Amino acid sequence: MKIDLPRYEKIWITFGIGTLAAFLIIIGVMAFTMDLHPPGDNRTIIPEAISITPPFDKPGLYPSGSRNYKAAIVAKTFTFLPTEMRIPAGSTVHFEVTSPDVVHGLMIPGTNVNMLVVPGRITQFTYTFKHKGNYYLICNEYCGSGHQLMASRLIVE
Amino acid sequence: MSQAHPGYDGAVLHDAKAEFDAKDKAMIKAHLAFAYISLGLGAIAGLLQALERTGMVISLPLGTGYYQLLTLHGVLLGLVFTTLFIIGFLHSGIVKTLGGAYSNAERRVAWVGFYMMLIGVIMAGLMILTNQATVLYTFYAPLHASPWFYIGSALLIVGSWVSGVAIFMSYGRWKKANPGKPAPLFSFMSVATMILWIIATLGVAVEVLFQLIPWSFGWVPRIDVELSRTFFWYFGHPLVYFWLLPAYIYWYVNIPRIIKGKIFSDSLPRLTFILFILYSIPVGFHHQLMEPGIGYFWKFLQVILTFFVVIPSLLTAFTILATFELAGRSLGAKGRFGWVRKMPWGDVRFLAPVVGMLFFIPGGAGGIINASYQMNQVVHNTLWVTGHFHMTLATTVILTFFGISYWLIPALTNRILTPVANRLGILQTVIWSLGMLLMSVPMHITGILGEPRRTAYTTYGNAPLAEIWRPYRAMMAMGGTLLFIGIVIFLGIAIYLWYFAPKAAQSIEYPIGEVNDKAPAPPPILERWSLWVAITFALVLIAYTVPIVGMFMNPSPGSPPLRTW
Ligand code: HEM
Ligand SMILES: [Cu+2]
Ligand SMILES: [Cu+2]
């Protein structure tokens, strides 16, 4: 296929493709050698049975080592359970979140925690809270008339 | 004798045959009228939202809720205005470049498409207005809208396919009459745009017809939410290229004429459009990076395919600038940048889209951030995203559509874009740019600071976090107000050009650029549609088969319908 490509355009496109390759290599190396992946998971769960399925029957923090926690969180209209959590600074929290009703989001501003919570599935993500402060878990996916009220607190002491 | 006319004086022609066939005119005008009414209504919703979510207005008129308005705004502007304007514009250019008029059969098909879309939009609109479909324009399950909302949406989609059939019929007729010749550039691009649209909407059609409608009627009890989101986003990303490609058509084909230049190459633009078909569809996972049920490998693969769209975008940037430069030089420009001054900056038909192009530079850069796998975690579902698509869709694309309107309405009504209307259009472009800077830059910033999108006014119980957002929110409200004024001015100009501007003595030109004589003829392979469609499907199969089969093998228990508003 012959396409009329002037010299400057060739330079421009080569430069473009080069940048593109560099970008993808950086993202790929970060993802697959440093294990920096976005949230996900493959487990499923019956939305109506969340209140009798551990660990979501008792939402909260479960210590799993020194400064290591598993946080089982239920995102439901229009609140997160538990409504407040406290951890010492430097703790690593492994979030596991699910929803008994509609789709929600769980975002903690000031961190990279940003998960989509889909009914019927579990989303997980791990994050280390290095700095003290009051963090907020807020819902960032429209879930109904009280969506703007859906927030809870995480206090890092 | 020629009429006094702002900007390019070639806009008035002495050739009566250049006029549209009266029946085609009526059909195209119906599309545009429908689009502009949606724009006006959507803008009212936009203004109220911008004021509500920033805390300026607390109770909304008629007791409508924030999310109801947001649904109206997203559906009317994101889905209805764009689709109707685009299809009207494509019909106009197809008629113009493929022989001057539609055949009766083609026009009838175009009308059938139009009425299907009209009925669909009225149905969906009534459900939104009566608060039975406050599910936003993405209608994610298991939010349960009235079945009539989904049926209305299906009619809008299928109606747009029927419109595509009219375009394909006309194209086929021309190809038969001109065997072996490359189709005119405008028609090639229109066919490419409709092919992209039809392949893309297959996803949402499957979601609506096989999942949402049966489930919303209660014929099936549960829906697999993740699967439905996957079908939605298979469509949701190419949707943005369906908005963008018609703007590219204007930049590639019509603007060269407005600046008294030539189309720089006849093959590169075609190649660009083919690449958009290939690389815009198998990439929907980049909207689903934060969700469960999709493996990392597949998310990452689609991120790679997403980035390939950089190539046709860079080709476009180069070609458009080269076209401008060559035009300027042929008009006698000297020096490296002398051509810039030869451009018709005082002609709104040129100025509006070029301002749109400038906004596309930061807009595109933002898009690269969104798609960057890990960085998406910082911005996903924050107000950053809303800032991003108001900068791209609601500025680059919309300003181009405004630029098109300023000559397309005159060409249809045979009235003149008077110097006053032209100047008002320039003012409109300036107001839109200022309004958008004031609204979308703060949206980007508060997004990074953690303000979520699609959220009514909230302070989360006077959280210090929300306190930081306050000054940006005030700017957004001001920007939103300016944008609303901008739409009012635009609609004022449109009504003036439609009904009141002075009649032209000769017919108004429909600007179609000529290809540079030195450009070689495009290789016939570019018009082997079956080949490109086959490659597209191959890419779709590679990118989607394993994850979708995975969702079937490891299905979620599904969700019953819920109404949470
Ligand atoms: C009067 C001018 C406009 C104003 C004041 C405005 C304002 C807004 C605001 C404040 C939001 C949403 C916020 C949120 O996430 O809570 C929004 C969403 C949106 N706007 Fe606009 N906008 C305007 C024009 C447009 C135009 C011209 C388009 C497209 C052609 C557009 C397309 C959208 C879309 C698709 C959404 C997303 C809805 C959703 O997330 O469900 N807007 N707009
Ligand atoms: Cu929510
Ligand atoms: Cu996308």
Side-chain angles (χ1 to χ4, degrees):
Chain A
M1 179 162 59
K2 254 193 72 173
I3 296 254
D4 42 327
L5 207 59
R7 195 167 71 89
Y8 284 120
E9 184 143 25
K10 275 193 195 121
I11 297 173
W12 169 248
I13 288 303
T14 314
F15 165 76
I17 294 179
T19 330
L20 178 71
F23 253 74
L24 285 170
I25 290 170
I26 294 170
I27 302 177
V29 166
M30 278 167 58
F32 293 97
T33 68
M34 297 157 71
D35 209 27
L36 290 176
H37 288 290
D41 199 339
N42 229 346
R43 281 174 294 166
T44 57
I45 183 169
I46 300 173
E48 292 91 334
I50 282 175
S51 55
I52 51 165
T53 312
F56 301 107
D57 55 342
K58 294 201 185 66
L61 279 173
Y62 293 83
S64 55
S66 88
R67 307 216 161 196
N68 249 308
Y69 297 89
K70 186 162 100 174
I73 297 177
V74 172
K76 62 174 203 173
T77 51
F78 299 106
T79 179
F80 291 103
L81 299 176
T83 53
E84 194 177 297
M85 293 179 285
R86 284 172 186 274
I87 52 168
S91 299
T92 299
V93 181
H94 176 72
F95 292 91
E96 298 204 348
V97 196
T98 193
S99 157
D101 42 55
V102 296
V103 176
H104 299 276
L106 189 170
M107 161 171 79
I108 306 184
T111 74
N112 279 351
V113 180
N114 195 338
M115 314 161 71
L116 201 91
V117 188
V118 178
R121 293 186 180 270
I122 295 167
T123 311
Q124 57 176 350
F125 188 69
T126 305
Y127 186 79
T128 303
F129 293 83
K130 298 205 182 79
H131 307 289
K132 290 185 186 171
N134 282 343
Y135 292 85
Y136 288 83
L137 281 65
I138 59 187
C139 178
N140 66 1
E141 183 60 87
Y142 167 69
C143 52
S145 53
H147 162 61
Q148 71 282 0
L149 305 172
M150 187 163 165
S152 76
R153 285 210 293 172
L154 171 72
I155 297 153
V156 182
E157 330 175 280
Chain B
M1 56 140 246
S2 104
Q3 301 269 349
H5 196 87
Y8 178 39
D9 54 5
V12 175
L13 275 193
H14 298 260
D15 175 8
K17 271 186 301 195
E19 253 201 65
F20 280 104
D21 177 281
K23 291 190 200 133
D24 288 333
K25 261 190 195 171
M27 185 271 294
I28 297 164
K29 279 161 103 177
H31 284 80
L32 295 188
F34 188 176
Y36 295 144
I37 291 170
S38 313
L39 179 68
L41 296 175
I44 297 172
L47 174 68
L48 292 173
Q49 276 157 234
L51 298 179
E52 200 280 352
R53 76 161 289 147
T54 50
M56 304 279 167
V57 168
I58 295 300
S59 63
L60 292 167
L62 305 173
T64 44
Y66 181 80
Y67 302 108
Q68 192 181 353
L69 273 180
L70 185 56
T71 308
L72 197 65
H73 181 80
V75 168
L76 281 178
L77 293 176
L79 302 178
V80 181
F81 165 73
T82 46
T83 306
L84 268 291
F85 184 89
I86 289 168
I87 289 179
F89 175 51
L90 296 188
H91 280 322
S92 79
I94 287 277
V95 164
K96 199 80 276 180
T97 56
L98 296 184
Y102 267 151
S103 73
N104 286 334
E106 289 154 11
R107 194 178 309 108
R108 224 173 292 128
V109 174
W111 274 116
V112 171
F114 173 82
Y115 279 110
M116 287 176 73
M117 294 191 283
L118 179 66
I119 294 168
V121 169
I122 291 175
M123 269 162 76
L126 283 177
M127 294 305 114
I128 297 172
L129 290 174
T130 51
N131 203 21
Q132 297 179 69
T134 302
V135 291
L136 307 189
Y137 83 111
T138 43
F139 44 83
Y140 293 143
L143 295 171
H144 179 220
S146 152
W148 302 105
F149 172 80
Y150 302 117
I151 292 175
S153 312
L155 273 174
L156 174 64
I157 298 163
V158 178
S160 72
W161 293 351
V162 174
S163 310
V165 169
I167 289 172
F168 297 151
M169 282 166 73
S170 189
Y171 173 80
R173 177 165 56 85
W174 190 93
K175 286 301 269 190
K176 205 171 280 164
N178 300 271
K181 273 207 228 158
L185 191 54
F186 194 112
S187 63
F188 175 94
M189 291 177 157
S190 306
V191 168
T193 306
M194 287 317 288
I195 288 180
L196 176 142
W197 176 243
I198 290 175
I199 301 178
T201 41
L202 285 175
V204 68
V206 166
E207 183 200 7
V208 170
L209 295 175
F210 297 115
Q211 289 193 292
L212 292 172
I213 292 179
W215 165 83
S216 67
F217 273 115
W219 303 332
V220 296
R222 303 174 84 91
I223 188 167
D224 186 330
V225 177
E226 191 52 38
L227 187 63
S228 74
R229 295 174 60 85
T230 302
F231 286 132
F232 183 87
W233 284 112
Y234 164 96
F235 148 82
H237 185 76
L239 171 64
V240 311
Y241 290 102
F242 175 66
W243 297 332
L244 191 61
L245 289 188
Y248 277 17
I249 296 181
Y250 183 46
W251 303 356
Y252 273 118
V253 182
N254 309 95
I255 288 187
R257 175 75 179 157
I258 289 175
I259 62 175
K260 299 184 189 167
K262 293 269 169 80
I263 297 174
F264 172 68
S265 151
D266 203 7
S267 327
L268 270 179
R270 295 177 200 243
L271 177 66
T272 312
F273 272 53
I274 299 276
L275 291 177
F276 272 118
I277 299 182
L278 298 186
Y279 293 121
S280 65
I281 295 169
V283 298
F285 285 173
H286 72 227
H287 293 259
Q288 298 175 275
L289 294 175
M290 300 302 121
E291 54 201 77
I294 305 166
Y296 297 137
F297 174 79
W298 300 104
K299 286 181 179 172
F300 195 78
L301 178 74
Q302 294 209 4
V303 164
I304 295 178
L305 290 172
T306 304
F307 272 93
F308 280 13
V309 148
V310 167
I311 298 168
S313 310
L314 289 179
L315 280 171
T316 302
F318 188 95
T319 312
I320 302 291
L321 273 179
T323 304
F324 290 0
E325 177 175 352
L326 288 181
R329 291 196 189 282
S330 76
L331 294 173
K334 298 266 169 348
R336 193 167 283 257
F337 292 109
W339 56 272
V340 175
R341 272 191 283 129
K342 292 283 179 187
M343 294 295 107
W345 297 105
D347 183 340
V348 68
R349 299 167 308 162
F350 174 77
L351 181 72
V354 170
V355 171
M357 292 174 200
L358 293 177
F359 271 91
F360 209 45
I361 299 170
I368 291 179
I369 292 176
N370 297 342
S372 294
Y373 203 57
Q374 299 93 350
M375 264 196 278
N376 184 261
Q377 278 170 190
V378 181
V379 297
H380 180 75
N381 269 349
T382 68
L383 214 46
W384 161 287
V385 175
T386 315
H388 166 70
F389 62 72
H390 280 84
M391 204 171 252
T392 46
L393 167 62
T395 308
T396 306
V397 171
I398 289 291
L399 279 180
T400 301
F401 288 1
F402 289 170
I404 294 170
S405 303
Y406 295 136
W407 55 261
L408 183 55
I409 303 175
L412 291 164
T413 58
N414 210 34
R415 293 177 190 273
I416 297 170
L417 176 68
T418 55
V420 176
N422 183 61
R423 245 175 276 137
L424 259 180
I426 291 175
L427 175 71
Q428 201 282 340
T429 308
V430 172
I431 291 185
W432 196 266
S433 311
L434 290 178
M436 198 49 83
L437 286 174
L438 261 176
M439 186 171 93
S440 84
V441 173
M443 278 178 166
H444 280 87
I445 298 172
T446 49
I448 299 241
L449 295 175
E451 179 160 10
R453 69 183 282 209
R454 307 176 131 183
T455 303
Y457 177 66
T458 178
T459 60
Y460 295 113
N462 295 322
L465 176 69
E467 208 49 42
I468 306 172
W469 303 335
R470 193 187 292 274
Y472 300 104
R473 288 175 157 182
M475 283 188 256
M476 282 178 232
M478 285 190 286
T481 309
L482 274 182
L483 287 176
F484 180 74
I485 296 171
I487 291 204
V488 171
I489 298 176
F490 169 75
L491 290 176
I493 301 171
I495 292 171
Y496 173 74
L497 294 176
W498 200 295
Y499 293 110
F500 303 109
K503 280 274 181 191
Q506 297 94 1
S507 46
I508 302 281
E509 182 186 9
Y510 189 108
I512 293 282
E514 284 169 30
V515 178
N516 168 15
D517 340 300
K518 284 192 228 100
I525 191 168
L526 290 176
E527 254 176 289
R528 288 266 304 281
W529 299 108
S530 51
L531 173 70
W532 304 116
V533 171
I535 298 180
T536 307
F537 276 113
L539 284 172
V540 167
L541 288 177
I542 291 171
Y544 273 109
T545 309
V546 175
I548 288 191
V549 168
M551 286 180 203
F552 277 104
M553 306 288 282
N554 175 26
S556 95
S559 293
L562 289 168
R563 180 168 167 166
T564 55
W565 67 89

